Amino acid sequence: MDSFTRDGLRFDVTDHDPGPIDGGPPVLLLHGFPQTAISWEPVARRLAGAGHRVLAPDQRGYSPGARPAARRDYRIEELVADVAALIDAAGGEPVHVVGHDWGAIVAWALAALDPARVRTVTGVSVPHPAAFFRAMRSSRQALLSWYTYVFQVPGLADRYLSRPGALAAALRRTGQTPQRARRDEAALAARGGLRPALSGGMGWYRAVPHWEHRGLPVPVEVPALMVGSDGDSAVSLEAVHGNGAWMRGPYRLEVLPGVSHWIPDEVPDRLADLVLEHVVG
């Protein structure tokens, strides 16, 4: 599979097929901002090497063929429906879903709103939205999330970060290495231009006030794993530790010491090991 469609939108997909090895249900890897499926490559190779079919889409706003204009088109319900369409295109059986950053929010939301499609869920760096929003009111999370308020102004951050090297420089300040920061900037630019890709990704932030499930106060009942880190410049440990309040099934929390927000990039083997333990268990 190299793509799937939904409501006239076309989404690009990287399909890591292990061939004749049957590792059970597919594993979906959902990227966050401002990255693409390429950010999952080291983790995907490990999972595929263990026999799993791994599907990593470029999500709404990132795939050039899936960039609607309206803010409401990026609300969480649409993002979940996109992933559901990918699951249907891949055969329809329940999957293991893993998400990082905004991809984690989509993963938690899919598990909460459409649990029949999910065997296990793994959130990386970002907890369940209800835990995150609660931390915004009771901890330093609101301060750490300062940039999300800037993103609400259409065209402001898009224009600034689309200057050559600006996005890579911003990523380096959050703990990303220079090489990976340049990779992420180049990957977005290659998908129809840097500014359109940034505007598409920022659409997720701008659509939060339009969510039908305000704050997503819906618990997760499928087996869940939360992987956080103590060096995250964007997500507080208070938010991470608050995730368990929204889990109703088997739940495991892992906080990785000395690791930044970019867990799939920084410690891909450790993350892959945790995911493999989770999906097998």
Side-chain angles (χ1 to χ4, degrees), residues 61 74 155 158 194-204 206:
Y74 293 89
D158 326 30
L194 187 55
R195 184 165 178 179
L198 283 169
S199 296
M202 290 179 191
W204 297 31
R206 294 165 182 162

Side-chain angles (χ1 to χ4, degrees), residues 152-179:
Q152 294 299 317
V153 182
L156 180 62
D158 326 30
R159 183 169 55 252
Y160 175 78
L161 291 174
S162 62
R163 298 181 308 161
L167 178 61
L171 289 172
R172 290 199 301 273
R173 288 193 290 271
T174 65
Q176 189 68 297
T177 66
Q179 180 183 9

Side-chain angles (χ1 to χ4, degrees), residues 3-28:
S3 66
F4 71 98
T5 60
R6 174 177 173 254
D7 290 349
L9 302 177
R10 182 183 182 278
F11 299 82
D12 300 324
V13 181
T14 303
D15 187 343
H16 300 263
D17 190 340
I21 303 174
D22 184 6
V27 179
L28 268 57

Side-chain angles (χ1 to χ4, degrees), residues 34-36 62 67 167 184-194 197-198:
Q35 296 189 304
T36 64
Y62 296 88
R67 288 180 182 151
L167 178 61
D184 290 338
E185 182 176 291
L188 288 183
R191 285 157 174 79
L194 187 55
L198 283 169

